[in-house]
Amino acid sequence: MYQSKWFKALVVAILIALLFLLFGEVGFVFDPVIDYITAVAFPFAVAGVLYYITRPVVKLLDRFKIPRIISILLIFVLMGFIIFLISRYIAPIVQDQFTRLYNNLPQITGSVQDLFNYWKDNQQFLPEQVNSTLEGFIENIENYAVNAISLILDFISQLANYIFALFLVPFFLFFLLKDGEKLLPFVTKFLSKEKAKSVSKLMSSIDNTLSAFILGQLTVSICVGVMLYIGYIIIGLNYSLTLAVFAMATNVIPFIGPFIAAIPAILVGVFQDPIFAVYITILMIIAQQIEGNLISPNIMGKVLNIHPLTIITLILAAGNIAGFLGLLIVIPVYAVAKAIISHFYHEWREKYA
C-alpha cells in the first residue's frame, strides 16, 4: 500500500495542505518579502509587456548586425517619439471630446429614456416583468453611465499613484532587452541534460504563449480601434476618436470587451440620431467579423486555443475576485497554466505510457 501511487499522491496532498497551513500561521515572517514583490510587480509587469512588444524590433535590428545597446537606445527613442505624438496630437482631442461627452451625459441619457418610453408606449407584447426590468434599467441609466465613467477616472487616478513605479519601467525594460535571453542558459546550466531540455521546452512554450497573447491583443485592439474610428468618421458620429480609443482599450478584455465598447457608442448614436444605433451595430459586427476571421487567427494562431465558454467563466470569476485587473490578466494566466500542465502531462505520457 505504501508504494502505491494513490497513497503517495495522498501524502503529497496532505504535506502541501500542511505547508499552506504553516504559511498562514507564520505569514508575518514573509510580509517584507510580499511588500517587496508588490512594490516591483507593477513596473516589472509593464516592462514585461513592453519587452514582448519591442523584442521583435530588437531581433530585426540584430539581423543588420547592430549592437544590442544601440538597438535598445533606438527603441527608447522610438517609444519617446510615439509618446510625444500621442500627447501632442491625440490626447488633447480625446480629453476635449471626453469632457464634452461627460457634460452632455444627462442629455444623452434623457434622449435614451424618451426613446424607450416611446417604444414602450407603442407595444403590447412584452411581459410585465420584462417591462419592469427595462424600466428600472432605463430610469437608472444615467447613474450607470456616471458610475462607468467614475470607474474609468478611478482607474486613471490609480495609475497616477504608480507614477514613481513607472520610473522603474525603463530600467527593467533595458535589462530585459539586454540580458533576457541569458536567463534560460543560466538556469539550465545547474540542471542535468534531460531536465535542462525539459525546462527549455517548457520556458519556450510559456514564452510563445505570452508573446502570442500580448502581441495578438495589442494588434487586434489597434486594428479594431482604427476600423471603428474610420467607420465613426464615415457615419459622422460625435466623439468618434474618444469612442474609438475606448473600444481599443476595452478590446484587451477578451470576448466581452467589444460588447462593453458598444454601449457608450450606441448611447451617443441614439442621442445624435436614433438610426445611428443601427449604423453602429453594423459597424461593430463588421469589425468583429474581420477581427475574428482574419486578424486573430493569423496573429495568435492556435497558441491560445481557448473555448469561448471557458473565457466567459474565467472572466466572470476574475471580475468578482480581482475586479478590472483580474479581467486583464486572467486569460494570459490561464494560458500559461494550461501550457505548464500540458507540458508535464505530455512528459508523463512519454515516460509512463
Side-chain angles (χ1 to χ4, degrees):
M1 180 182 72
Y2 298 112
Q3 300 300 321
S4 61
K5 292 181 180 179
W6 68 266
F7 182 80
K8 292 179 180 179
L10 180 62
V11 172
V12 170
I14 293 174
L15 291 175
I16 292 175
L18 290 174
L19 186 62
F20 278 109
L21 181 63
L22 178 63
F23 282 158
E25 294 296 328
V26 297
F28 62 90
V29 177
F30 302 97
D31 285 345
V33 178
I34 295 174
D35 291 339
Y36 173 77
I37 294 175
T38 304
V40 301
F42 176 73
F44 186 78
V46 175
V49 172
L50 293 176
Y51 167 73
Y52 279 105
I53 294 173
T54 56
R55 185 176 62 174
V57 182
V58 172
K59 291 184 177 181
L60 177 63
L61 294 176
D62 286 342
R63 295 180 182 177
F64 295 96
K65 307 300 181 181
I66 298 177
R68 178 61 63 91
I69 299 295
I70 302 299
S71 299
I72 296 173
L73 292 177
L74 289 175
I75 287 174
F76 274 67
V77 172
L78 177 62
M79 291 173 60
F81 181 67
I82 293 174
I83 293 173
F84 167 76
L85 290 179
I86 293 174
S87 61
R88 179 68 176 82
Y89 296 103
I90 298 178
I93 300 175
V94 172
Q95 182 180 5
D96 176 66
Q97 290 187 358
F98 182 83
T99 301
R100 290 190 289 113
L101 176 60
Y102 184 80
N103 293 334
N104 289 331
L105 198 58
Q107 291 86 347
I108 293 174
T109 55
S111 296
V112 175
Q113 290 174 343
D114 293 340
L115 182 64
F116 170 77
N117 291 330
Y118 175 80
W119 170 78
K120 183 173 67 68
D121 293 337
N122 289 275
Q123 64 81 31
Q124 303 295 331
F125 300 103
L126 289 180
E128 184 61 30
Q129 290 182 341
V130 176
N131 267 329
S132 301
T133 303
L134 289 174
E135 286 178 1
F137 175 78
I138 294 297
E139 288 175 358
N140 293 283
I141 191 170
E142 184 175 349
N143 293 331
Y144 296 147
V146 171
N147 290 336
I149 293 177
S150 297
L151 287 175
I152 297 172
L153 295 177
D154 289 342
F155 178 71
I156 295 173
S157 65
Q158 289 177 9
L159 286 180
N161 294 332
Y162 291 101
I163 290 296
F164 176 75
L166 289 175
F167 283 108
L168 299 176
V169 171
F171 297 98
F172 287 157
L173 177 60
F174 177 83
F175 287 107
L176 283 174
L177 291 172
K178 180 178 178 292
D179 301 321
E181 297 174 354
K182 299 178 183 178
L183 176 62
L184 183 59
F186 174 78
V187 173
T188 54
K189 74 178 182 181
F190 298 103
L191 305 174
S192 63
K193 186 176 180 180
E194 182 180 355
K195 290 184 177 179
K197 182 180 178 181
S198 175
V199 170
S200 298
K201 187 177 179 181
L202 173 60
M203 296 303 292
S204 176
S205 177
I206 294 174
D207 180 68
N208 290 336
T209 299
L210 289 175
S211 178
F213 178 80
I214 293 173
L215 290 177
Q217 283 299 116
L218 177 67
T219 306
V220 167
S221 297
I222 292 175
C223 291
V224 170
V226 171
M227 285 189 293
L228 289 178
Y229 179 62
I230 293 173
Y232 293 161
I233 289 294
I234 291 174
I235 66 175
L237 183 67
N238 293 332
Y239 319 111
S240 55
L241 183 58
T242 298
L243 293 172
V245 170
F246 179 74
M248 188 185 304
T250 57
N251 209 78
V252 300
I253 304 174
F255 199 80
I256 67 170
F259 297 100
I260 298 174
I263 295 173
I266 291 176
L267 290 177
V268 171
V270 169
F271 171 71
Q272 188 172 343
D273 189 336
I275 193 62
F276 274 34
V278 178
Y279 297 157
I280 293 167
T281 302
I282 294 173
L283 285 175
M284 290 286 181
I285 293 174
I286 293 174
Q288 290 307 312
Q289 288 299 312
I290 294 174
E291 179 265 321
N293 294 290
L294 295 177
I295 302 174
S296 291
N298 290 306
I299 295 175
M300 296 187 185
K302 296 183 179 180
V303 177
L304 300 176
N305 187 18
I306 305 175
H307 195 277
L309 183 60
T310 303
I311 295 176
I312 296 173
T313 305
L314 290 170
I315 288 175
L316 290 175
N320 289 326
I321 295 172
F324 183 73
L325 180 62
L327 297 178
L328 292 180
I329 68 173
V330 63
I331 300 302
V333 169
Y334 172 81
V336 169
K338 181 181 176 183
I340 294 173
I341 294 172
S342 177
H343 170 81
F344 286 112
Y345 173 74
H346 288 300
E347 282 205 339
W348 178 82
R349 287 198 61 181
E350 291 176 0
K351 188 174 182 180
Y352 295 103

